């Protein structure tokens, strides 16, 4: 997500911070800023690329040998100078950069405003600055003030604080959002990502969750949130800058696949109330009354986002009992769509900038529909133009082929299904509770699949010379078959067709022979038997078969290879089935000596018709 860099030593901080920010640009950004400590704290912020900040810095005196800086990728509040980090307290005595999400920021903000604090931004992060300010004014030392403030905070953070009063000291803290301290000769660096400091030093100390560090030019002292001293060894990184940006992975696509347990957690963070058994979607609150009255949902999207929409159709119909249609953004405006004031048009988009999806939303607005977005990029065009929505919080997706964004869209659609079902009284408490509890378990189950990924690698190696592949799935898994085929096409250039299993006999089976393999999504669910019959039919035509199934399913007599995944409830199983298909596409690209991060002819965001 966002990037952090801090410096304390004997050199001028500003050029080092700007260089670090440049190295962090690959993560995606919409604004950036820095604070340097001199006789006061000097802060400069800018919207857009880091070069905009470089330009602004030239007109400000930013002399000083300690400082902090940040590139932001918006989560709370649109990209703007006010929302860019660092954030200051009311008195301008401290400055904070923060990655992560403060879940209880609304209640903390209300509390702080009631005690006279004035907020300058819409961000969740700013509450941290004001919390620290209060403790400093009670004469607490900076380190203690930060630690005690963090005890009030619920959520995730990787943060660095600098103060006007305490020269040459940075305080860092981590909970769920990475931070690394770089150890130089009489100088120290703090970064969210080693790529920001790897050119300065390879000696590092990684902070773990629940740890704080006081960093000066003389050294580092570490402490836990409950004030216990911690000792840690310095480690040596053998990464170059290229490897560092991918966090040690050979490609962004793999990095993003491996991130998915965390991504699902982030998409659901603060949105699952297990005690009350409710989905909490603050972004839909304002339109709750209209949502009670709707009689139809139309989902629009392109590519993978469209396929996510197709899963959404099953989910929302199943959980909320509202009729759903899914439309390709690129086709929608060429029809004469029938939209009434009781229609919700829901756009799904990672970038929030896909031209066809945006146009579909504009068309829906012209017809007075309520428009919603499930968008990953905060402040993007679709996010701004829809009436309300739910952000995916998947973090910037750099790999051209969508992986983590798709999975986050499915997680959010499940929440939307539960939310609408509860709002309209069509979902029983028992079903809602069971769905939310299963959703809560998903990150661990995804991790389990990722831990066993060796089998997918071997299977991909075995099939690496194929030129065609059929993907089949039924019910919730039909759209996952389409998505699996799309991934394979995109990154390994193997011709792949995604079909719903029931359609196989209406045409595609004519293709099948011993040189045309099929991947069948066949978890043990309500359509398992039917999928087994289809596999029998493919076998009878001597077609090689790979089954993606749940542990213990009796399919060995039907398949040439099987990849097992954990079982969850039927409506969430597609989230788990997607993971081996992403890995398979990735490993096929590697086996075929292709670069999956740079598929030919594709752009990450399609902003023209
Ligand atoms: C497939 C892929 C594309 C996008 C599509 C929509 O791997 O990445 O199909 O899903 O271009 O993009 P967004 O979600 O940005 O609207």
């Amino acid at each position: 997500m966002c990037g952090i860099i801090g410096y304390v030593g004997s050199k001028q901080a500003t050029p080092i911070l700007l260089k670090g920010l440049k190295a962090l640009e690959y993560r995606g950004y919409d604004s950036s800023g820095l604070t340097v400590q001199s006789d006061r704290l000097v802060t400069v912020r800018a919207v857009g690329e880091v070069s905009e900040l470089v330009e602004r810095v030239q007109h400000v005196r930013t002399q000083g040998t300690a400082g902090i800086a940040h590139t932001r990728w918006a989560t709370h509040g649109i990209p703007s100078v006010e929302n860019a980090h660092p954030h200051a307290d009311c008195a301008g005595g401290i400055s904070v950069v923060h990655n992560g999400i403060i879940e209880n920021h609304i209640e903390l903000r209300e509390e702080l405003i009631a005690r006279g604090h004035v907020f300058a931004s819409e961000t969740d992060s700013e509450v941290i600055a004001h919390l620290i300010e209060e403790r400093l004014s009670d004469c607490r030392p900076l380190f203690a003030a930060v630690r005690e403030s963090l005890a009030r905070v619920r959520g995730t953070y990787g943060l660095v604080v600098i103060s006007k009063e305490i020269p040459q000291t940075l305080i860092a803290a981590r909970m769920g959002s990475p931070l690394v301290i770089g150890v130089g000769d009489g100088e120290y660096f703090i970064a969210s990502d080693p790529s920001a400091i790897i050119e300065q030093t390879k000696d590092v100390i990684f902070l773990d969750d629940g740890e704080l560090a006081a960093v000066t030019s003389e050294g580092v002292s570490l402490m836990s949130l409950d004030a216990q001293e911690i000792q840690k060894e310095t480690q040596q990184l053998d990464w170059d800058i290229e490897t560092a940006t991918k966090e040690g992975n050979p490609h962004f696509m793999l990095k993003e696949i491996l991130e998915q347990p965390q991504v699902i957690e982030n998409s659901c963070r603060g949105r699952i109330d297990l005690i009350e058994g409710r989905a909490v979607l603050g972004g839909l609150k304002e339109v709750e009354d209209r949502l009670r009255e709707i009689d139809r949902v139309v989902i629009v999207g392109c590519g993978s986002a469209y396929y996510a929409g197709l899963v959404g159709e099953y989910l929302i119909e199943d959980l909320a009992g509202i009729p759903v249609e899914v439309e390709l953004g690129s086709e929608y405006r060429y029809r004469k769509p029938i939209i009434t004031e009781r229609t919700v048009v829901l756009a799904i988009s990672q970038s929030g900038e896909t031209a066809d999806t945006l146009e579909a939303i504009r068309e829906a607005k012209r017809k007075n529909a309520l428009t919603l977005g499930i968008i990953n990029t905060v402040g993007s065009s679709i996010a701004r133009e829809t009436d309300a929505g739910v952000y995916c919080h998947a973090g910037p997706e750099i790999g051209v082929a969508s992986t983590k964004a798709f999975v986050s869209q499915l997680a959010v659609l499940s929440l939307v299904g539960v939310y609408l079902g509860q709002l309209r009284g069509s979902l029983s408490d028992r079903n809602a509770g069971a769905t939310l509890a299963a959703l809560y378990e998903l990150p661990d189950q995804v991790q389990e699949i990722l831990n066993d990924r060796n089998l997918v690698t071997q299977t991909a190696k075995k099939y690496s010379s194929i030129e065609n592949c059929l993907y089949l799935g039924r019910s919730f898994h039909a759209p996952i078959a389409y998505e699996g085929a799309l991934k394979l096409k995109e990154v390994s250039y193997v011709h792949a067709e995604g079909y719903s299993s029931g359609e196989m006999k209406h045409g595609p089976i004519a293709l099948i022979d011993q040189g045309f393999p099929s991947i069948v999504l066949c978890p043990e669910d309500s359509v398992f038997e039917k999928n087994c019959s289809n596999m029998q039919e493919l076998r009878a035509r001597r077609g090689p078969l790979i089954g993606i199934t749940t542990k213990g399913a009796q399919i060995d007599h039907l398949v040439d290879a099987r990849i097992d995944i954990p079982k969850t409830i039927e409506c969430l199983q597609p989230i788990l089935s997607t993971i081996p298909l992403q890995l398979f596409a990735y490993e096929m690209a590697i086996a075929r000596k292709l670069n999956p991060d740079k598929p030919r002819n594709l752009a990450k965001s399609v902003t023209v018709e």
Side-chain angles (χ1 to χ4, degrees), residues 50-319:
V50 173
S51 54
E52 297 290 331
L53 181 69
V54 173
E55 163 62 24
R56 280 197 175 208
V57 161
Q58 281 169 7
H59 307 289
V60 184
R61 217 177 101 82
T62 53
Q63 301 280 340
T65 53
I68 58 176
H70 188 267
T71 48
R72 175 168 189 253
W73 195 79
T75 58
H76 292 73
I78 56 160
S80 66
V81 170
E82 294 73 29
N83 289 338
H85 298 220
H87 292 291
D89 61 326
C90 304
I94 54 159
S95 202
V96 180
V97 287
H98 164 236
N99 284 355
I101 296 173
I102 306 300
E103 286 168 25
N104 56 340
H105 73 104
I106 295 178
E107 64 190 69
L108 290 174
R109 178 185 275 255
E110 280 166 5
E111 236 182 63
L112 287 157
I113 289 174
R115 290 200 291 272
H117 290 263
V118 178
F119 277 74
S121 78
E122 300 163 294
T123 63
D124 54 334
S125 311
E126 197 187 333
V127 296
I128 302 168
H130 296 280
L131 286 171
I132 298 171
E133 178 190 7
E134 285 195 337
R135 280 145 192 92
L136 288 177
S137 59
D138 283 347
C139 299
R140 300 293 292 146
L142 181 62
F143 201 39
V146 174
R147 195 171 52 74
E148 289 160 15
S149 299
L150 292 177
R152 293 290 331 273
V153 153
R154 209 170 58 238
T156 54
Y157 50 82
L159 59 86
V160 190
V161 182
I162 192 167
S163 140
K164 181 171 75 175
E165 306 297 345
I166 299 120
Q168 296 291 105
T169 303
L170 305 181
I171 309 290
R174 171 189 165 145
M175 181 65 77
S177 200
L179 276 185
V180 57
I181 299 170
V183 182
D185 188 8
E187 59 183 1
Y188 289 81
F189 307 82
I190 303 174
S192 52
D193 174 332
S195 60
I197 55 173
I198 202 91
E199 286 193 0
Q200 316 279 359
T201 178
K202 294 199 171 178
D203 295 327
V204 296
I205 301 167
F206 283 100
L207 283 191
D208 285 310
D209 280 351
E211 289 179 356
L212 292 104
V215 184
T216 68
S217 51
E218 322 262 279
V220 179
S221 2
L222 298 169
M223 191 178 268
S224 65
L225 275 175
D226 53 5
Q228 303 299 313
E229 259 182 53
I230 297 170
Q231 300 295 333
K232 271 193 164 172
E233 297 289 313
T234 304
Q235 304 178 27
Q236 261 238 319
L237 289 179
D238 59 357
W239 294 357
D240 56 20
I241 181 83
E242 167 87 6
T243 326
T245 54
K246 295 171 193 147
E247 288 168 17
N249 294 296
H251 298 99
F252 284 113
M253 183 176 177
L254 182 61
K255 170 180 174 277
E256 287 163 3
I257 293 173
L258 298 179
E259 257 167 38
Q260 290 178 117
Q262 186 70 57
V263 166
I264 299 173
E265 241 175 85
N266 286 344
S267 300
C268 296
R269 191 177 303 286
R271 294 171 171 170
I272 298 180
D273 181 343
L274 283 181
I275 298 168
E276 295 288 319
R278 302 199 76 75
V280 185
L281 296 178
L284 299 183
K285 190 123 194 72
E286 268 179 40
V287 295
E288 230 170 52
D289 289 342
R290 277 186 83 181
L291 285 174
R292 276 197 194 88
E293 299 304 319
I294 57 168
D295 61 7
R296 194 163 64 108
V297 177
V298 178
I299 301 179
V300 289
C302 294
S304 294
Y306 169 72
Y307 297 147
L310 290 175
V311 180
E313 178 176 20
Y314 287 90
L315 278 164
I316 295 172
E317 290 189 344
D318 191 52
L319 294 166

Side-chain angles (χ1 to χ4, degrees), residues 14-62:
T14 304
I16 294 171
L17 298 176
L18 290 173
K19 191 169 179 199
L21 291 184
K22 279 255 167 224
L24 289 169
E25 273 194 306
Y26 78 94
R27 297 164 67 112
Y29 51 83
D30 50 55
S31 50
S32 57
L34 57 77
T35 297
V36 173
Q37 191 186 48
S38 45
D39 49 340
R40 61 195 174 93
L41 296 181
V42 181
T43 298
V44 187
R45 299 181 291 183
V47 174
E49 298 187 6
V50 173
S51 54
E52 297 290 331
L53 181 69
V54 173
E55 163 62 24
R56 280 197 175 208
V57 161
Q58 281 169 7
H59 307 289
V60 184
R61 217 177 101 82
T62 53

Side-chain angles (χ1 to χ4, degrees), residues 455 546-547 549-556 559-564:
L455 184 60
I546 302 169
T549 191
T550 37
K551 291 191 173 125
Q554 304 286 310
I555 60 158
D556 286 354
V559 295
D560 300 284
R562 63 182 286 163
I563 293 162
D564 286 357

